[in-house]
Amino acid sequence: EEDPTQEQGHVEEPEIQEEDVEHEEEDDDEEEEDEEPPTLKYKRLTSLPVRLFSKDPVSACYFHENVYIFATHSGFIHLTKPDFTTIRTLKAHRSSVLSLHSDGEYFASGSIDGTIVIGSIYDDKEITAFDFKRPIHAVVIDKRYKNTKSFFSGGTSGNVTYSTRNWLGQRSDTIIESGNGSITTLKSVDDDLI
């Protein structure tokens, strides 16, 4: 015969004795005492460009698994390997660099002077500058930039602009979003632009 106190879907929970709770708390305390704080490992950076932190403050930085990029308020861009070995330094803009992006092979920088500079990380001859004549607060290169030569940008105009080169090699701009105020940052995640 069925027990009338057990209804369908009802499960009785076992009672917990106070001794069991106290014993569990003691085990937790012992585990916490046995744990040692993590050891901080660090390495002093000695191969950074001389001007990087001393005379010209960093205005933007970008970290990719293949390259670290630092930009300054006077328009310099410093490209380094992840171990901070200098790849090259270039004067790309006339004033503060506000945005950086890289796909690991190419880098892009946007500046308050209204220009975007896109170039190869390792080939100093492959570099292009675009003048938008308005401050650029955000730039993201297409993840297939090598083939498409396209990028996205935004700034105080409030427009998110998709730029590419047409078959004549001239820049062609398409506004893909506008009317939502100044664009201060853009981020690409897979095939999405945020």
Side-chain angles (χ1 to χ4, degrees):
E1 192 175 324
E2 290 184 28
D3 185 1
T5 60
Q6 289 199 356
E7 298 173 13
Q8 188 176 4
H10 180 277
V11 179
E12 287 189 26
E13 295 183 22
E15 291 183 24
I16 299 177
Q17 302 291 330
E18 283 188 30
E19 294 174 4
D20 292 340
V21 173
E22 289 175 5
H23 182 65
E24 288 176 12
E25 288 176 1
E26 288 175 7
D27 287 344
D28 290 343
D29 290 343
E30 288 176 13
E31 288 177 15
E32 289 177 11
E33 291 173 5
D34 292 342
E35 292 179 19
E36 292 184 22
T39 305
L40 176 64
K41 294 181 181 181
Y42 69 93
K43 179 180 174 185
R44 185 172 298 277
L45 302 176
T46 57
S47 59
L48 289 175
V50 177
R51 291 185 50 161
L52 188 58
F53 294 115
S54 61
K55 297 180 182 179
D56 194 11
V58 172
S59 60
C61 56
Y62 188 85
F63 301 98
H64 185 274
E65 62 188 38
N66 299 332
V67 64
Y68 291 175
I69 308 171
F70 301 94
T72 68
H73 284 291
S74 63
F76 281 93
I77 296 176
H78 304 283
L79 302 165
T80 71
K81 294 179 181 176
D83 65 357
F84 294 100
T85 304
T86 300
I87 298 171
R88 67 184 170 129
T89 298
L90 63 141
K91 172 79 169 162
H93 301 278
R94 295 180 303 273
S95 58
S96 295
V97 177
L98 302 176
S99 179
L100 293 168
H101 189 259
S102 179
D103 64 357
E105 189 173 348
Y106 292 90
F107 71 90
S109 61
S111 172
I112 200 165
D113 68 7
T115 60
I116 291 177
V117 173
I118 300 177
S120 171
I121 292 171
Y122 295 101
D123 182 3
D124 59 354
K125 291 176 180 47
E126 192 175 349
I127 193 162
T128 307
F130 302 97
D131 191 357
F132 282 82
K133 299 189 182 353
R134 59 177 162 65
I136 302 295
H137 289 267
V139 63
V140 172
I141 57 176
D142 188 312
K143 66 180 181 181
R144 296 173 297 275
Y145 180 81
K146 184 174 185 173
N147 298 322
T148 65
K149 301 297 185 209
S150 58
F151 59 95
F152 301 90
S153 63
T156 55
S157 70
N159 298 333
V160 176
T161 306
Y162 173 73
S163 302
T164 189
R165 287 195 187 161
N166 63 20
W167 63 279
L168 294 172
Q170 298 169 334
R171 187 182 87 213
S172 173
D173 296 337
T174 304
I175 296 173
I176 59 174
E177 180 67 36
S178 66
N180 292 319
S182 293
I183 307 301
T184 57
T185 188
L186 291 172
K187 176 80 174 161
S188 64
V189 178
D190 297 326
D191 287 334
D192 297 328
L193 184 68
I194 301 171

